[in-house]
Amino acid sequence: MKLSDDERGRLNTLIHAGKHPARLLTKARILLKADASEAGEGWSDSQIAAALDTSVDTVARTRQQLVEAGFEAVLMRKHSPASARQRILMERRKPN
């Protein structure tokens, strides 16, 4: 897989600027390591997994998601209302 200069720039900015969820930063790092363009590193799944202390399956799923759904889909968290846990709201009681 090859990233464009714009995509690489967005991933680097994401990693180095502000606070972001750890899973998003891991995905960004995976994509940068997997990038097979001239500016990329082109690492294998096992090399990336070892370097980032994650599983080979996580690396493979991230690559697959990029190919099947596109760059934006990798950076967005997929939310499924059907699988989401229902929230339990507690009623606040007034003190006596």
Side-chain angles (χ1 to χ4, degrees):
M1 60 158 248
K2 294 183 180 182
L3 297 174
S4 69
D5 291 338
D6 180 53
E7 290 169 336
R8 255 190 319 284
R10 287 183 59 196
L11 293 172
N12 280 314
T13 299
L14 182 83
I15 290 170
H16 296 102
K19 292 183 179 182
H20 302 285
R23 83 183 141 60
L24 181 61
L25 295 175
T26 299
K27 285 184 174 189
R29 289 184 175 105
I30 288 170
L31 293 179
L32 287 171
K33 297 285 186 201
D35 181 17
S37 69
E38 289 182 22
E41 299 182 40
W43 287 15
S44 69
D45 288 3
S46 58
Q47 287 175 309
I48 296 169
L52 300 179
D53 196 28
T54 190
S55 71
V56 173
D57 288 341
T58 298
V59 176
R61 277 192 306 269
T62 302
R63 279 189 198 249
Q64 183 177 8
Q65 186 179 21
L66 177 70
V67 171
E68 292 178 356
F71 183 77
E72 295 298 326
V74 175
L75 301 180
M76 296 285 209
R77 184 168 186 187
K78 186 169 68 172
H79 176 71
S80 172
S83 67
R85 185 176 61 186
Q86 290 185 353
R87 295 178 184 236
I88 299 172
L89 299 175
M90 303 287 286
E91 185 179 320
R92 285 185 119 180
R93 295 182 184 186
K94 294 181 182 179
N96 292 338

